[in-house]
Coordinates of all heavy atoms in Angstrom, one line a residue:
M1 N 230.0 90.6 19.1 CA 228.8 91.3 19.1 C 227.6 90.4 18.9 O 226.5 90.6 19.5 CB 228.8 92.4 18.0 CG 227.5 93.1 17.9 SD 227.6 94.6 17.1 CE 225.9 94.8 16.6
L2 N 227.8 89.4 18.1 CA 226.7 88.4 17.9 C 226.2 87.8 19.2 O 225.1 87.6 19.4 CB 227.1 87.4 16.8 CG 226.0 86.4 16.5 CD1 224.8 87.0 15.9 CD2 226.6 85.4 15.4
N3 N 227.2 87.4 20.0 CA 226.8 86.8 21.3 C 226.0 87.8 22.1 O 225.0 87.4 22.8 CB 228.1 86.4 22.1 CG 228.8 85.2 21.5 OD1 228.1 84.4 20.8 ND2 230.1 85.1 21.8
Q4 N 226.3 89.1 22.1 CA 225.5 90.1 22.9 C 224.1 90.1 22.3 O 223.2 90.2 23.1 CB 226.2 91.4 22.8 CG 227.5 91.5 23.6 CD 228.1 92.9 23.4 OE1 228.0 93.6 22.4 NE2 228.8 93.3 24.5
V5 N 224.0 90.1 21.0 CA 222.7 90.2 20.4 C 221.9 88.9 20.7 O 220.7 89.0 21.1 CB 222.8 90.3 18.8 CG1 221.4 90.2 18.2 CG2 223.4 91.7 18.5
M6 N 222.5 87.7 20.7 CA 221.9 86.5 21.1 C 221.4 86.5 22.5 O 220.3 86.1 22.8 CB 222.8 85.3 20.8 CG 223.1 85.1 19.3 SD 221.7 84.7 18.3 CE 221.4 83.1 18.8
D7 N 222.3 87.0 23.4 CA 221.9 87.2 24.8 C 220.7 88.1 25.0 O 219.7 87.8 25.7 CB 223.0 87.7 25.7 CG 224.2 86.7 25.8 OD1 224.0 85.5 25.5 OD2 225.3 87.1 26.2
F8 N 220.7 89.2 24.3 CA 219.6 90.2 24.3 C 218.3 89.5 23.8 O 217.3 89.7 24.4 CB 219.9 91.4 23.5 CG 218.8 92.4 23.4 CD1 218.6 93.2 24.6 CD2 218.1 92.6 22.3 CE1 217.6 94.2 24.5 CE2 217.1 93.6 22.3 CZ 216.8 94.3 23.4
A9 N 218.4 88.8 22.7 CA 217.3 88.1 22.1 C 216.7 87.1 23.1 O 215.5 87.1 23.3 CB 217.6 87.4 20.8
G10 N 217.5 86.4 23.8 CA 217.0 85.5 24.9 C 216.3 86.3 26.0 O 215.3 85.8 26.6
E11 N 216.8 87.5 26.3 CA 216.1 88.3 27.3 C 214.8 88.9 26.8 O 213.9 89.0 27.6 CB 217.0 89.5 27.7 CG 218.3 89.2 28.4 CD 219.2 90.4 28.6 OE1 218.7 91.5 28.5 OE2 220.4 90.2 28.8
V12 N 214.8 89.4 25.6 CA 213.7 90.2 25.1 C 212.7 89.4 24.4 O 211.5 89.7 24.5 CB 214.3 91.3 24.2 CG1 213.2 92.1 23.6 CG2 215.1 92.3 25.1
L13 N 213.1 88.5 23.5 CA 212.1 87.8 22.7 C 211.3 86.8 23.5 O 211.8 85.9 24.0 CB 212.8 87.1 21.5 CG 213.4 88.0 20.5 CD1 214.1 87.2 19.4 CD2 212.3 88.9 19.8
P14 N 210.0 87.0 23.5 CA 209.1 86.0 24.1 C 209.1 84.8 23.2 O 209.5 84.8 22.1 CB 207.8 86.7 24.1 CG 207.9 87.9 23.4 CD 209.3 88.1 23.0
G15 N 208.5 83.7 23.7 CA 208.3 82.5 22.9 C 208.9 81.3 23.5 O 208.6 80.2 23.0
S16 N 209.8 81.4 24.5 CA 210.4 80.2 25.0 C 209.3 79.3 25.6 O 209.4 78.1 25.7 CB 211.5 80.5 26.0 OG 210.9 81.3 27.0
C17 N 208.2 79.9 26.1 CA 207.1 79.1 26.7 C 205.9 79.3 25.8 O 204.8 79.1 26.3 CB 206.9 79.6 28.1 SG 206.5 81.3 28.3
A18 N 206.0 79.6 24.6 CA 204.9 79.8 23.7 C 204.2 78.5 23.4 O 204.9 77.5 23.0 CB 205.3 80.5 22.4
V19 N 202.9 78.5 23.5 CA 202.1 77.3 23.1 C 201.2 77.7 22.1 O 200.3 78.6 22.3 CB 201.4 76.8 24.4 CG1 200.5 75.6 24.0 CG2 202.3 76.5 25.5
P20 N 201.2 77.1 20.9 CA 200.3 77.5 19.8 C 198.9 77.2 20.2 O 198.6 76.3 21.0 CB 200.7 76.6 18.6 CG 202.1 76.1 19.0 CD 202.2 76.1 20.5
P21 N 197.9 78.0 19.8 CA 198.1 79.2 19.0 C 198.5 80.4 19.9 O 197.9 80.6 20.9 CB 196.8 79.5 18.4 CG 195.8 78.9 19.3 CD 196.5 77.7 20.0
Y22 N 199.6 81.1 19.5 CA 200.1 82.2 20.3 C 199.7 83.5 19.6 O 199.9 83.7 18.5 CB 201.6 82.1 20.3 CG 202.3 82.9 21.4 CD1 202.2 82.6 22.8 CD2 202.9 84.1 21.1 CE1 202.7 83.3 23.8 CE2 203.5 84.9 22.1 CZ 203.4 84.5 23.4 OH 203.9 85.2 24.4
S23 N 199.0 84.3 20.4 CA 198.5 85.6 19.9 C 199.6 86.5 19.5 O 200.5 86.7 20.3 CB 197.6 86.2 21.0 OG 197.4 87.5 20.8
E24 N 199.5 87.1 18.3 CA 200.5 88.1 17.9 C 200.5 89.3 18.9 O 201.5 89.9 19.2 CB 200.3 88.5 16.5 CG 200.6 87.5 15.5 CD 200.4 87.9 14.1 OE1 200.1 89.1 13.8 OE2 200.5 87.0 13.2
A25 N 199.3 89.7 19.3 CA 199.2 90.8 20.2 C 199.8 90.5 21.5 O 200.5 91.4 22.1 CB 197.7 91.2 20.4
A26 N 199.7 89.3 22.0 CA 200.3 88.9 23.3 C 201.8 88.9 23.1 O 202.6 89.3 24.0 CB 199.8 87.6 23.8
F27 N 202.3 88.4 22.0 CA 203.7 88.4 21.7 C 204.3 89.8 21.7 O 205.3 90.0 22.4 CB 204.0 87.7 20.4 CG 205.4 87.6 20.0 CD1 206.2 86.6 20.4 CD2 206.0 88.6 19.2 CE1 207.6 86.5 20.0 CE2 207.3 88.6 18.8 CZ 208.1 87.5 19.2
L28 N 203.7 90.7 21.0 CA 204.2 92.1 20.9 C 204.1 92.7 22.3 O 205.0 93.5 22.6 CB 203.4 92.9 19.9 CG 203.6 92.4 18.4 CD1 202.7 93.2 17.5 CD2 205.1 92.6 18.0
S29 N 203.1 92.5 23.0 CA 203.0 93.0 24.4 C 204.1 92.5 25.3 O 204.8 93.3 26.0 CB 201.6 92.7 25.0 OG 201.5 93.2 26.3
E30 N 204.4 91.2 25.2 CA 205.5 90.7 26.0 C 206.8 91.2 25.6 O 207.7 91.5 26.4 CB 205.4 89.2 26.0 CG 206.4 88.5 27.0 CD 206.3 87.0 27.0 OE1 205.2 86.5 26.7 OE2 207.2 86.4 27.5
L31 N 207.0 91.3 24.3 CA 208.3 91.8 23.7 C 208.5 93.3 24.2 O 209.6 93.6 24.7 CB 208.2 91.8 22.2 CG 209.4 92.5 21.5 CD1 210.7 91.7 21.7 CD2 209.1 92.7 20.0
G32 N 207.4 94.1 24.2 CA 207.5 95.5 24.6 C 207.9 95.5 26.1 O 208.7 96.4 26.5
G33 N 207.3 94.7 26.9 CA 207.6 94.7 28.3 C 209.0 94.3 28.6 O 209.7 94.9 29.5
R34 N 209.5 93.3 27.8 CA 210.9 92.9 28.0 C 211.9 94.0 27.6 O 212.9 94.1 28.2 CB 211.1 91.6 27.3 CG 210.4 90.4 28.0 CD 210.7 89.1 27.3 NE 210.0 88.0 27.9 CZ 210.4 86.8 27.8 NH1 211.4 86.5 27.0 NH2 209.7 85.8 28.4
L35 N 211.6 94.7 26.5 CA 212.4 95.8 26.0 C 212.5 96.8 27.1 O 213.6 97.3 27.5 CB 211.9 96.3 24.7 CG 212.7 97.6 24.2 CD1 214.1 97.3 24.0 CD2 212.0 98.2 23.0
R36 N 211.3 97.2 27.7 CA 211.3 98.2 28.7 C 212.1 97.8 29.9 O 212.9 98.6 30.5 CB 209.8 98.5 29.2 CG 209.7 99.6 30.2 CD 208.3 99.8 30.7 NE 207.3 100.0 29.6 CZ 206.4 99.1 29.2 NH1 206.4 97.9 29.8 NH2 205.6 99.4 28.2
S37 N 212.0 96.5 30.3 CA 212.7 96.0 31.5 C 214.2 96.1 31.2 O 215.0 96.5 32.1 CB 212.4 94.6 31.8 OG 211.0 94.5 32.2
S38 N 214.7 95.7 30.0 CA 216.1 95.8 29.7 C 216.6 97.2 29.7 O 217.7 97.5 30.2 CB 216.3 95.1 28.3 OG 216.1 93.8 28.3
R39 N 215.8 98.1 29.1 CA 216.2 99.5 29.1 C 216.3 100.1 30.5 O 217.3 100.8 30.8 CB 215.1 100.3 28.3 CG 215.4 101.8 28.2 CD 214.4 102.5 27.4 NE 213.0 102.4 27.8 CZ 212.5 103.1 28.9 NH1 213.2 103.9 29.6 NH2 211.2 102.9 29.2
M40 N 215.3 99.8 31.3 CA 215.3 100.3 32.7 C 216.5 99.7 33.5 O 217.1 100.4 34.3 CB 214.0 100.1 33.3 CG 212.9 100.9 32.6 SD 211.3 100.7 33.3 CE 211.4 101.7 34.8
R41 N 216.7 98.4 33.3 CA 217.8 97.8 34.0 C 219.2 98.4 33.7 O 220.1 98.5 34.6 CB 217.9 96.3 33.7 CG 218.8 95.4 34.5 CD 218.7 93.9 34.3 NE 218.6 93.5 32.9 CZ 217.5 93.1 32.3 NH1 216.4 92.9 32.9 NH2 217.6 92.7 31.0
C42 N 219.3 99.0 32.5 CA 220.5 99.7 32.1 C 220.4 101.2 32.4 O 221.3 101.9 32.0 CB 220.8 99.4 30.6 SG 221.2 97.8 30.3
D43 N 219.4 101.6 33.1 CA 219.2 103.0 33.5 C 219.2 103.9 32.2 O 219.9 105.0 32.3 CB 220.2 103.4 34.5 CG 219.8 104.6 35.2 OD1 218.6 104.9 35.4 OD2 220.7 105.4 35.7
L44 N 218.5 103.5 31.2 CA 218.4 104.3 30.0 C 217.0 104.9 29.8 O 216.0 104.2 30.0 CB 218.7 103.5 28.7 CG 220.1 103.0 28.4 CD1 220.1 102.1 27.2 CD2 221.0 104.2 28.1
S45 N 217.0 106.2 29.5 CA 215.7 106.8 29.2 C 215.4 106.4 27.7 O 216.2 106.0 27.0 CB 215.8 108.3 29.3 OG 216.7 108.8 28.3
R46 N 214.1 106.5 27.4 CA 213.7 106.3 26.0 C 214.5 107.3 25.0 O 214.9 106.9 24.0 CB 212.2 106.5 25.8 CG 211.4 105.3 26.2 CD 210.0 105.5 25.8 NE 209.1 104.5 26.5 CZ 208.0 104.8 27.0 NH1 207.4 106.0 26.9 NH2 207.3 103.8 27.6
R47 N 214.6 108.5 25.5 CA 215.3 109.5 24.7 C 216.8 109.0 24.4 O 217.3 109.1 23.3 CB 215.3 110.8 25.4 CG 216.1 111.9 24.6 CD 215.9 113.3 25.2 NE 214.5 113.6 24.8 CZ 213.8 114.6 25.4 NH1 214.4 115.3 26.3 NH2 212.6 114.9 25.0
E48 N 217.5 108.5 25.4 CA 218.9 108.1 25.3 C 218.9 106.8 24.4 O 219.8 106.7 23.5 CB 219.5 107.8 26.6 CG 221.0 107.4 26.5 CD 221.9 108.4 25.9 OE1 221.5 109.6 25.7 OE2 223.0 108.0 25.5
L49 N 218.0 105.9 24.6 CA 218.0 104.7 23.7 C 217.7 105.1 22.3 O 218.3 104.6 21.4 CB 216.9 103.7 24.2 CG 216.8 102.4 23.4 CD1 218.1 101.7 23.4 CD2 215.7 101.5 24.1
A50 N 216.8 106.1 22.1 CA 216.5 106.6 20.7 C 217.8 107.2 20.1 O 218.1 106.9 18.9 CB 215.4 107.6 20.8
R51 N 218.5 107.9 20.9 CA 219.7 108.6 20.3 C 220.8 107.5 20.0 O 221.4 107.6 18.9 CB 220.3 109.5 21.4 CG 221.5 110.3 20.9 CD 222.2 111.1 22.0 NE 222.8 110.3 23.0 CZ 224.0 109.7 22.7 NH1 224.6 109.8 21.6 NH2 224.6 108.9 23.7
R52 N 220.9 106.5 20.8 CA 221.9 105.5 20.6 C 221.6 104.5 19.5 O 222.4 104.0 18.8 CB 222.2 104.7 21.9 CG 222.8 105.5 22.9 CD 223.0 104.6 24.2 NE 223.6 105.4 25.2 CZ 224.2 104.9 26.3 NH1 224.4 103.6 26.4 NH2 224.7 105.7 27.2
S53 N 220.3 104.3 19.3 CA 219.8 103.3 18.3 C 219.5 103.9 17.0 O 219.4 103.2 16.0 CB 218.7 102.5 18.9 OG 217.5 103.3 19.0
G54 N 219.2 105.2 16.9 CA 218.7 105.8 15.7 C 217.2 105.5 15.4 O 216.8 105.7 14.3
I55 N 216.5 105.0 16.4 CA 215.1 104.7 16.3 C 214.4 105.8 17.1 O 214.8 106.2 18.2 CB 214.8 103.3 16.9 CG1 215.5 102.3 16.1 CG2 213.3 103.1 16.9 CD1 215.5 100.9 16.8
S56 N 213.3 106.3 16.6 CA 212.6 107.5 17.2 C 212.1 107.1 18.6 O 211.7 105.9 18.9 CB 211.5 108.0 16.4 OG 210.4 107.2 16.5
E57 N 212.1 108.0 19.5 CA 211.6 107.8 20.9 C 210.1 107.4 20.8 O 209.7 106.5 21.6 CB 211.8 109.1 21.7 CG 211.5 109.0 23.1 CD 211.7 110.3 23.8 OE1 212.4 111.3 23.3 OE2 211.2 110.4 25.0
R58 N 209.4 108.0 19.9 CA 208.0 107.6 19.8 C 207.8 106.2 19.4 O 206.9 105.5 19.9 CB 207.3 108.6 18.8 CG 205.9 108.4 18.6 CD 205.3 109.4 17.7 NE 203.8 109.2 17.6 CZ 203.0 110.1 17.2 NH1 203.5 111.3 16.8 NH2 201.7 109.9 17.2
Y59 N 208.6 105.7 18.4 CA 208.5 104.3 18.0 C 208.9 103.4 19.1 O 208.3 102.3 19.3 CB 209.3 104.1 16.7 CG 209.0 102.8 16.1 CD1 207.7 102.4 15.7 CD2 210.0 101.8 15.9 CE1 207.4 101.2 15.1 CE2 209.7 100.6 15.3 CZ 208.4 100.3 14.9 OH 208.1 99.1 14.4
I60 N 210.0 103.7 19.9 CA 210.3 102.9 21.0 C 209.2 102.8 22.0 O 208.9 101.7 22.5 CB 211.6 103.4 21.7 CG1 212.8 103.2 20.7 CG2 211.9 102.8 23.0 CD1 214.1 103.9 21.2
A61 N 208.5 103.9 22.2 CA 207.3 103.9 23.1 C 206.3 103.0 22.6 O 205.6 102.2 23.4 CB 206.8 105.3 23.3
Q62 N 206.0 103.0 21.3 CA 205.0 102.1 20.7 C 205.4 100.6 20.8 O 204.6 99.8 21.2 CB 204.9 102.4 19.2 CG 204.1 103.7 18.9 CD 204.1 104.0 17.4 OE1 204.9 103.6 16.6 NE2 203.0 104.8 17.1
I63 N 206.7 100.3 20.6 CA 207.2 99.0 20.8 C 207.0 98.5 22.3 O 206.4 97.4 22.5 CB 208.7 98.8 20.4 CG1 208.9 99.1 18.9 CG2 209.2 97.4 20.8 CD1 210.3 99.3 18.5
E64 N 207.4 99.4 23.2 CA 207.2 99.1 24.6 C 205.7 98.9 25.0 O 205.4 98.1 25.9 CB 207.9 100.1 25.5 CG 209.4 100.0 25.4 CD 210.1 101.0 26.4 OE1 209.4 101.9 27.0 OE2 211.3 100.9 26.5
A65 N 204.8 99.6 24.3 CA 203.4 99.5 24.6 C 202.8 98.3 23.9 O 201.6 98.0 24.0 CB 202.7 100.7 24.2
G66 N 203.6 97.5 23.1 CA 203.1 96.4 22.4 C 202.4 96.7 21.1 O 201.6 95.9 20.6
K67 N 202.5 97.9 20.6 CA 201.8 98.4 19.4 C 202.7 98.4 18.2 O 202.2 98.5 17.1 CB 201.3 99.8 19.6 CG 200.5 100.0 20.9 CD 199.2 99.2 20.8 CE 198.3 99.5 22.0 NZ 197.3 98.4 22.3
G68 N 204.0 98.3 18.3 CA 204.9 98.4 17.2 C 205.3 97.0 16.7 O 205.8 96.2 17.5
N69 N 205.2 96.7 15.5 CA 205.6 95.4 14.9 C 207.0 95.6 14.4 O 207.3 96.0 13.3 CB 204.6 95.1 13.8 CG 204.9 93.6 13.3 OD1 205.7 92.9 13.8 ND2 204.0 93.2 12.4
V70 N 207.9 95.3 15.3 CA 209.4 95.7 15.1 C 210.1 94.6 14.2 O 209.8 93.4 14.3 CB 210.1 95.8 16.5 CG1 210.0 94.6 17.2 CG2 211.5 96.4 16.3
S71 N 210.9 95.1 13.4 CA 211.7 94.2 12.5 C 212.9 93.6 13.3 O 213.4 94.2 14.3 CB 212.2 94.9 11.2 OG 213.2 95.8 11.5
I72 N 213.5 92.6 12.8 CA 214.7 92.0 13.4 C 215.9 93.0 13.3 O 216.7 93.0 14.2 CB 215.0 90.6 12.8 CG1 216.0 89.9 13.6 CG2 215.5 90.8 11.3 CD1 215.5 89.4 14.9
V73 N 215.9 93.8 12.2 CA 217.0 94.8 12.1 C 216.9 95.8 13.2 O 217.9 96.2 13.8 CB 217.0 95.4 10.7 CG1 217.9 96.6 10.6 CG2 217.3 94.4 9.6
L74 N 215.7 96.3 13.5 CA 215.5 97.2 14.6 C 215.8 96.6 15.9 O 216.4 97.3 16.8 CB 214.1 97.8 14.6 CG 213.8 98.7 13.4 CD1 212.4 99.4 13.5 CD2 214.8 99.8 13.2
L75 N 215.5 95.3 16.1 CA 215.9 94.7 17.3 C 217.4 94.6 17.5 O 217.9 94.8 18.6 CB 215.3 93.2 17.4 CG 213.8 93.1 17.7 CD1 213.4 91.7 17.7 CD2 213.5 93.7 19.1
L76 N 218.1 94.4 16.4 CA 219.5 94.4 16.4 C 220.1 95.7 16.8 O 221.0 95.8 17.7 CB 220.1 94.0 15.0 CG 221.6 94.1 14.8 CD1 222.3 93.0 15.7 CD2 221.9 93.8 13.4
R77 N 219.5 96.8 16.3 CA 219.9 98.2 16.7 C 219.6 98.5 18.2 O 220.4 99.0 18.9 CB 219.3 99.2 15.8 CG 219.9 99.2 14.4 CD 219.2 99.9 13.3 NE 218.8 101.3 13.7 CZ 218.1 102.1 12.9 NH1 217.6 101.6 11.8 NH2 217.8 103.3 13.3
L78 N 218.5 98.0 18.6 CA 218.1 98.2 20.1 C 219.1 97.4 20.9 O 219.5 97.9 22.0 CB 216.7 97.8 20.3 CG 215.6 98.7 19.7 CD1 214.2 98.0 19.7 CD2 215.6 100.1 20.4
A79 N 219.4 96.2 20.5 CA 220.3 95.3 21.3 C 221.6 95.9 21.4 O 222.2 96.0 22.5 CB 220.4 93.9 20.7
S80 N 222.1 96.4 20.3 CA 223.5 97.1 20.3 C 223.5 98.3 21.2 O 224.4 98.5 21.9 CB 223.8 97.5 18.8 OG 224.0 96.3 18.0
A81 N 222.4 99.1 21.1 CA 222.4 100.3 21.9 C 222.3 100.0 23.4 O 222.9 100.6 24.2 CB 221.1 101.2 21.5
I82 N 221.5 99.0 23.8 CA 221.3 98.6 25.2 C 222.6 98.0 25.7 O 223.1 98.3 26.8 CB 220.1 97.7 25.4 CG1 218.8 98.6 25.3 CG2 220.2 97.0 26.8 CD1 217.5 97.8 25.3
H83 N 223.2 97.0 25.0 CA 224.4 96.3 25.4 C 225.6 97.2 25.4 O 226.5 97.1 26.2 CB 224.6 95.0 24.7 CG 223.7 94.0 25.2 ND1 224.0 93.2 26.3 CD2 222.5 93.5 24.7 CE1 223.0 92.3 26.5 NE2 222.1 92.5 25.5
G84 N 225.6 98.2 24.6 CA 226.6 99.2 24.6 C 226.6 100.1 25.8 O 227.6 100.7 26.2
S85 N 225.5 100.1 26.5 CA 225.3 101.0 27.7 C 225.7 100.2 29.0 O 225.9 100.9 30.0 CB 223.9 101.4 27.8 OG 223.1 100.4 28.2
Q86 N 225.8 98.9 28.9 CA 226.1 98.1 30.1 C 227.6 98.2 30.4 O 228.5 98.2 29.5 CB 225.7 96.7 29.9 CG 224.2 96.5 29.9 CD 223.8 95.0 29.7 OE1 224.6 94.2 29.3 NE2 222.6 94.8 30.0
P87 N 228.0 98.3 31.7 CA 229.4 98.3 32.0 C 230.0 97.0 31.6 O 229.4 96.0 31.7 CB 229.4 98.5 33.5 CG 228.0 98.5 34.0 CD 227.1 98.4 32.8
Q88 N 231.2 97.1 31.1 CA 232.0 95.9 30.7 C 232.5 95.3 31.9 O 233.0 95.9 32.8 CB 233.2 96.3 29.8 CG 232.7 96.9 28.5 CD 231.9 96.0 27.6 OE1 232.3 94.8 27.5 NE2 230.9 96.5 27.0
S89 N 232.4 93.9 32.0 CA 232.9 93.2 33.1 C 234.5 93.3 33.1 O 235.1 93.1 32.0 CB 232.4 91.8 33.2 OG 232.8 91.1 32.0
Q90 N 235.0 93.5 34.3 CA 236.5 93.5 34.4 C 237.0 92.1 34.4 O 236.5 91.3 35.2 CB 236.9 94.3 35.6 CG 236.4 95.7 35.6 CD 237.0 96.6 34.5 OE1 238.2 96.4 34.2 NE2 236.2 97.4 33.9
P91 N 238.1 91.8 33.7 CA 238.7 90.5 33.8 C 239.3 90.3 35.2 O 239.8 91.3 35.8 CB 239.9 90.6 32.7 CG 240.0 92.0 32.3 CD 238.8 92.7 32.8
H92 N 239.2 89.1 35.7 CA 239.7 88.8 37.0 C 241.2 88.4 36.9 O 241.6 87.7 36.0 CB 238.9 87.6 37.6 CG 237.4 88.0 37.9 ND1 237.0 88.8 38.9 CD2 236.3 87.7 37.2 CE1 235.7 88.9 38.9 NE2 235.3 88.3 37.8
A93 N 241.9 88.9 37.9 CA 243.4 88.5 37.9 C 243.5 87.1 38.3 O 242.8 86.6 39.2 CB 244.1 89.4 38.9
A94 N 244.3 86.3 37.6 CA 244.5 84.9 38.0 C 245.6 84.7 39.0 O 246.4 85.5 39.3 CB 244.9 84.1 36.7

């Protein structure tokens, strides 16, 4: 599970190209966009992501809009909910 969270963090968390001084508003906006992209790539509605993560649909909308200052614990819950929705890759026969 930790690997899935780390992969999600790499997808969602901005900053790999951050150059100080980095605006907190820009960071939250980019984070929200990446969360939305991940959610949509998995074909999840906000309502379904809210149900799976235990985070309100309204708060997810705020995060996606760059308005929610999300904690690492909530990111973990979002990552688990999103990665739990992705189809598991089938092992290849050798």
Side-chain angles (χ1 to χ4, degrees):
M1 175 159 161
L2 181 57
N3 288 337
Q4 290 178 329
V5 172
M6 295 297 288
D7 290 343
F8 178 75
E11 292 172 18
V12 174
L13 290 177
S16 58
C17 60
V19 177
Y22 196 74
S23 160
E24 289 179 8
F27 178 87
L28 292 173
S29 178
E30 189 175 337
L31 173 69
R34 289 182 181 201
L35 174 61
R36 182 182 308 105
S37 294
S38 292
R39 177 179 59 78
M40 293 176 80
R41 189 172 45 251
C42 294
D43 198 30
L44 285 174
S45 66
R46 283 187 189 140
R47 177 170 288 163
E48 181 60 18
L49 181 56
R51 187 188 68 74
R52 291 178 184 203
S53 67
I55 299 169
S56 76
E57 188 177 346
R58 183 176 184 160
Y59 191 58
I60 291 171
Q62 288 177 333
I63 295 168
E64 289 184 354
K67 306 295 183 199
N69 191 356
V70 64
S71 74
I72 195 70
V73 173
L74 291 185
L75 282 177
L76 175 64
R77 287 169 49 188
L78 290 166
S80 296
I82 287 174
H83 281 280
S85 70
Q86 293 180 341
Q88 298 295 319
S89 58
Q90 298 297 321
H92 297 282

